[in-house]
Amino acid sequence: MGIFDVDEQKLRNMYKRGWVEANHGFVNPHKYPYLEKALIQYARENKCSFDQALRIAKSIR
C-alpha cells in the first residue's frame, strides 16, 4: 500500500469530511473533488463500480 492508495478507512474519512462540510446533510460527491477522485481511484483499484465505492464510503463499522 502506497501513500496515495485509498483503502476503506480513508474513503470513509473523506466521506465524513464531505458530510461535515455539507453541514451534516446530503453529500453529493461531485461537489467535493477530493471525494470524487478517491471514489474513482478506489473503484479502479478494487474493480468495482463508482456506486459500490460510494456505498462503502457511506457504511459505518
Side-chain angles (χ1 to χ4, degrees), residues 11 14-15 18 27-29 32-40 57:
L11 195 62
M14 287 187 185
Y15 184 83
V27 177
N28 182 356
Y32 303 100
Y34 60 88
L35 178 58
E36 184 176 28
K37 288 177 185 177
L39 288 166
I40 291 169

Side-chain angles (χ1 to χ4, degrees), residues 1-14 34 37-46:
M1 178 155 184
I3 295 173
F4 300 110
D5 290 344
V6 178
D7 60 348
E8 290 181 12
Q9 188 61 41
K10 191 181 284 187
L11 195 62
R12 286 188 189 105
N13 289 339
M14 287 187 185
Y34 60 88
K37 288 177 185 177
L39 288 166
I40 291 169
Q41 182 177 349
Y42 183 84
R44 285 182 183 161
E45 289 175 358
N46 294 293

Side-chain angles (χ1 to χ4, degrees), residues 19-55:
W19 181 68
V20 170
E21 289 180 7
N23 294 323
H24 303 277
F26 176 73
V27 177
N28 182 356
H30 302 294
K31 289 186 179 180
Y32 303 100
Y34 60 88
L35 178 58
E36 184 176 28
K37 288 177 185 177
L39 288 166
I40 291 169
Q41 182 177 349
Y42 183 84
R44 285 182 183 161
E45 289 175 358
N46 294 293
K47 296 177 179 65
C48 65
S49 69
F50 183 86
D51 293 333
Q52 289 171 331
L54 184 57
R55 276 188 237 124

